[in-house]
Amino acid sequence: MSELLNTKHQHIESLDVAPDGLVALATSSLTGEVWDGRLVVLRCAADAARAEVIASVETEVGNAAVAWAGPGLVASGDDAGNVTVWRFGTGAAGAAADEERLPVAVYSEHDQAVTCVACAPGGARLASGSADGTVRVWACGAAAQAERCLQHKPAEPWLECGVAAAAWLSAELLSTCDEEGKVRLWDLRVPVAVRAVAREGCGS
């Protein structure tokens, strides 16, 4: 076991590994009474005993989710309900880590914190899940309006049902799960869920 990074007071909320082995991290930290965050890209050494920070960006709010959206592109979801796509260089460490970075795209339709992000095979679509119980599907690089809004409805109308995770099975088939223990499969070619599966040991 090797310790590759110690963020000290920052909480690592999520990570994702790119096909070329680069690691993206989403962090959050409490500064006074305000949660802020940082996105970090690491390159691991061939012996897996050490890593170098090759890029990073500070954010004004905490980050709960991160996913690679293509070569040099990282998608993040934050506590304010925003989904942001960032372009990170993958060159040498040093100045790149301190360079000011501007987002490629910002999507802002969630009413509560974004809890997960996932990029479809091929990078054409991005899905984001939120504590507000919705999953938004975005066309990467297109208009900042969700292509689809998928709703996880709670068992009772007065309950909240946040989305916990999302993963693409193909460019058209998306799997999501919620805090009530249900996994849903969405076929984006049709307007309704393909199937909802209750987790074993939990009520539907």
Side-chain angles (χ1 to χ4, degrees), residues 106-123:
V106 179
Y107 308 118
S108 304
E109 288 188 15
H110 288 294
D111 295 329
Q112 297 183 41
V114 175
T115 55
C116 58
V117 290
C119 189

Side-chain angles (χ1 to χ4, degrees), residues 9-11 13 27-38 59-63 78-80:
H9 65 285
Q10 294 179 326
H11 303 273
E13 308 289 358
T27 77
S28 60
S29 61
L30 185 61
T31 304
E33 297 182 354
V34 178
W35 284 94
D36 53 20
R38 185 183 179 207
T59 57
E60 295 181 354
V61 292
N63 303 292
D78 65 35
D79 295 342

Side-chain angles (χ1 to χ4, degrees), residues 35-118:
W35 284 94
D36 53 20
R38 185 183 179 207
L39 299 171
V40 181
V41 177
L42 299 176
R43 176 184 287 122
C44 298
D47 58 6
R50 52 192 170 80
E52 60 176 345
V53 176
I54 63 170
S56 69
V57 63
E58 304 289 335
T59 57
E60 295 181 354
V61 292
N63 303 292
V66 68
W68 287 97
L73 295 175
V74 174
S76 65
D78 65 35
D79 295 342
N82 301 313
V83 178
T84 306
V85 179
W86 308 84
R87 184 176 300 280
F88 285 94
T90 56
D98 300 323
E99 181 182 327
E100 182 179 1
R101 300 182 183 281
L102 298 176
V104 175
V106 179
Y107 308 118
S108 304
E109 288 188 15
H110 288 294
D111 295 329
Q112 297 183 41
V114 175
T115 55
C116 58
V117 290

Side-chain angles (χ1 to χ4, degrees), residues 57-196:
V57 63
E58 304 289 335
T59 57
E60 295 181 354
V61 292
N63 303 292
V66 68
W68 287 97
L73 295 175
V74 174
S76 65
D78 65 35
D79 295 342
N82 301 313
V83 178
T84 306
V85 179
W86 308 84
R87 184 176 300 280
F88 285 94
T90 56
D98 300 323
E99 181 182 327
E100 182 179 1
R101 300 182 183 281
L102 298 176
V104 175
V106 179
Y107 308 118
S108 304
E109 288 188 15
H110 288 294
D111 295 329
Q112 297 183 41
V114 175
T115 55
C116 58
V117 290
C119 189
R125 282 172 163 166
L126 182 68
S128 59
S130 170
D132 64 12
T134 67
V135 178
R136 308 275 177 166
V137 178
W138 315 89
C140 288
Q145 182 176 359
E147 176 184 314
R148 296 287 295 272
C149 178
L150 311 173
Q151 179 75 49
H152 273 252
K153 294 183 179 180
E156 301 294 341
W158 60 85
L159 295 176
E160 293 186 353
C161 184
V163 178
W168 292 89
L169 282 71
S170 69
E172 299 289 348
L173 192 60
L174 176 67
S175 176
T176 60
C177 65
D178 61 34
E179 295 172 347
E180 290 191 337
K182 291 188 176 66
V183 177
R184 286 179 166 83
L185 300 178
W186 308 90
D187 187 339
L188 298 184
R189 296 165 296 185
V190 296
V192 295
V194 175
R195 185 181 303 167

